[in-house]
Structures are given as structure tokens and as C-alpha cells.
Amino acid sequence: MSSSNFTLRQVSYLVAVAEHGTLAAAAATLHVSPSAISVALDELERALGVQLTLRRRAHGVRLTPAGRAAVTRGRRLLRDAGELATSLGGASGVVSVGCYPTLAPVVLAPWIAAVHRRHPDTRVEFVEDDQDHLQRRLLDGELDLAVLYDHGLSADLETERVAANVPYLLVARDHPATDLHAVADEPMVLLDLPPSSDHALAVCRELGVTPRIEHRTRSTEMVRALVGLGLGWSVLAQAVPDHDVRVARVPLPAEPLPVVAAWSRAVTRSPVVQAMLDARP
């Protein structure tokens, strides 16, 4: 069937239902009636000649395999259509960006500010998530860009280096350690958030230390709190605020961990995405 047999409105309703799980929730977001969405989905299924959803009263809406594929392509279609409408007069529109949580304050926040200064009509929508989820969302077309560590990335992603973080030993402020071997017999506090955890343990191995992991946390603030209270040491590559007087950083002879902006090779960079890349501080 030709694309003229369905509309962007129908596609947007399908994507909204996939994101919200029920006709009622999608309808509330779109300010239409659930019956209008149901009719639009019926029309879209007839136009495409395939069943996209399973709709059962009181059980919400489930996507068929064809429906999941249609949602992925539909998101790209809606984004491209929006950029066509908004970017002809310059770098304006919406950029959907994902970011590894520990990189958001130090890399993404200044980047958003730079985009706002150069392109006030561009809006950056961002989400923080772990590296594996961000990669999947890029490849599924849910995100335009993601800020990630260049560690274990899919070959289906294209990258551009934006920064590099140098690993360091984190100890309590009054700890006498001058290298990793000085803490080898003490407990470790591990930032258990791949790839940071993988990289920290690799640094330990390269420097000949087998850590005894006492605590695991997904929060850098919790790492700093535990280390500052003398409950262990850690290896981080993330910046520590200068005002955090609880801890001290000890340089390590380890290679920097590159930080990259990544996007799917299957998606052509739009003008608004390119404008964001060009605005990087």
C-alpha cells in the first residue's frame, strides 16, 4: 500500500498508545477521545494490511511484532516530519538525547546551555539511563543522540569524541594513600553501573590490584559518602565536586576513558541534530 493511505495523525496515535499502554492514557495525553484513537488504529491497520495491536477491555493494549516494528519506524517518521516543518528556516526543532547518568551534569548540561544560546528555537529533551538501554533506544530510533563512554559500543553506532575522563583513586580526605597498592588490602566501594564498573575493575587489574568489593552502588554520591566516611576506596573517572571536602583524588597511571556523542548509522543526521553537534562547548 502507498503511504498516502495512512496519515501522520494515525501514526502518532499508535506511538502514543505504545508509550502509554492504554487507549485512555494515550487519549488523555493527546486530548482526544479513546474512541477516536481506536478508530485511527483500525484505519491504520487496514491501510497497512496488518494487525498492529491486541486491544482487550481492562487489559490495555499490546503490540504485535508488526506493531512494534511500526512504532520504531513511526517514531522516525514523526521526527523527520517535525524537523521538515521546523528546520527549513534554520536550526530549530526538538532533539531527543540520552545520557549516561554520571556524564549528565558535567557534559550534557553545559552542552544544552550552549545549544540554547546559539539556537534558542531548539529544544533538547533528555533522558538518563544506563549504557545498554541507551544504545538500544538509539538503534530503535527513540533517541537522536546519546552521550556515552566509548566502551563496548555497537558497531551500528557512529560516534564523535566529545571529552575524556581520566580515572583516579578516590579515598577519604585524610587517607595517606599515594597509589592503588596502598589501599589493596582495604575494602572497595564499586560504582556498579556499567561500563564504569567494568572500567574501574580493568584499571585495578592493569595496576596489579585485586580489589575486595565491600559495597556496590549505582550512585556516585553514595560512593563519595561511603568513601568519605572511611568505609572504603573507589576508582572513578567521573568528576568530583571541588566543594566535596570528604574525599581526595589520587591520580592513577591509567588511560583516559573517551566520552562520545553517538547516533545510529541507519538514521541520517537532521539539520537540528547537526546544529547540536556543532554547538558543543
Side-chain angles (χ1 to χ4, degrees):
M1 295 248 176
S2 69
S3 61
S4 61
N5 290 332
F6 65 87
T7 67
L8 291 177
R9 177 182 59 84
Q10 293 164 352
V11 174
S12 69
Y13 285 4
L14 174 65
V15 171
V17 168
E19 292 175 347
H20 295 281
T22 67
L23 294 180
T29 300
L30 297 171
H31 305 293
V32 298
S33 67
S35 61
I37 292 183
S38 182
V39 169
L41 292 181
D42 289 340
E43 293 171 345
L44 182 59
E45 289 178 333
R46 283 196 296 271
L48 297 177
V50 64
Q51 185 173 356
L52 304 174
T53 62
L54 297 173
R55 285 168 267 167
R56 293 185 297 165
R57 190 179 299 275
H59 290 281
V61 179
R62 297 184 62 183
L63 297 174
T64 65
R68 289 193 292 271
V71 167
T72 296
R73 296 193 174 203
R75 286 192 178 105
R76 295 174 183 169
L77 178 62
L78 292 170
R79 185 169 58 246
D80 289 346
E83 288 167 354
L84 176 63
T86 61
S87 66
L88 293 179
S92 61
V94 179
V95 186
S96 297
V97 182
C99 192
Y100 185 75
T102 62
L103 297 173
V106 293
V107 177
L108 184 58
W111 196 351
I112 293 174
V115 171
H116 181 72
R117 287 191 299 270
R118 292 182 58 174
H119 306 290
D121 292 332
T122 295
R123 189 171 83 254
V124 179
E125 295 180 348
F126 68 91
V127 60
E128 298 172 66
D129 209 336
D130 66 64
Q131 192 130 322
D132 288 341
H133 281 99
L134 291 175
Q135 289 194 74
R136 284 199 292 271
R137 296 179 74 168
L138 279 174
L139 297 173
D140 286 344
E142 296 179 29
L143 297 172
D144 295 307
L145 292 172
V147 180
L148 306 166
Y149 279 117
D150 191 6
H151 184 90
L153 296 182
S154 168
D156 294 323
L157 296 178
E158 192 168 348
T159 63
E160 183 175 304
R161 184 164 172 161
V162 298
N165 287 348
V166 179
Y168 57 86
L169 169 65
L170 189 74
V171 292
R173 174 63 66 180
D174 58 354
H175 199 291
T178 57
D179 59 31
L180 199 57
H181 290 277
V183 297
D185 295 329
E186 301 176 19
M188 181 188 190
V189 179
L190 181 67
L191 178 61
D192 198 9
L193 191 64
S196 291
S197 49
D198 300 332
H199 181 253
L201 295 176
V203 168
C204 291
R205 287 194 300 270
E206 290 169 7
L207 297 180
V209 170
T210 302
R212 174 168 59 88
I213 302 171
E214 182 75 14
H215 301 288
R216 296 173 182 265
T217 176
R218 294 173 65 87
S219 163
T220 53
E221 181 61 33
M222 187 60 170
V223 170
R224 295 198 301 269
L226 292 170
V227 171
L229 290 169
L231 297 176
W233 53 272
S234 190
V235 171
L236 295 178
Q238 295 76 20
V240 172
D242 293 335
H243 63 264
D244 193 341
V245 298
R246 302 169 297 180
V247 295
R249 285 178 287 183
V250 178
L252 293 175
E255 290 295 318
L257 183 56
V259 178
V260 297
W263 59 93
S264 171
R265 294 184 184 275
V267 178
T268 302
R269 279 181 291 178
S270 66
V272 69
V273 171
Q274 186 60 53
M276 180 164 181
L277 288 169
D278 293 342
R280 189 178 75 246

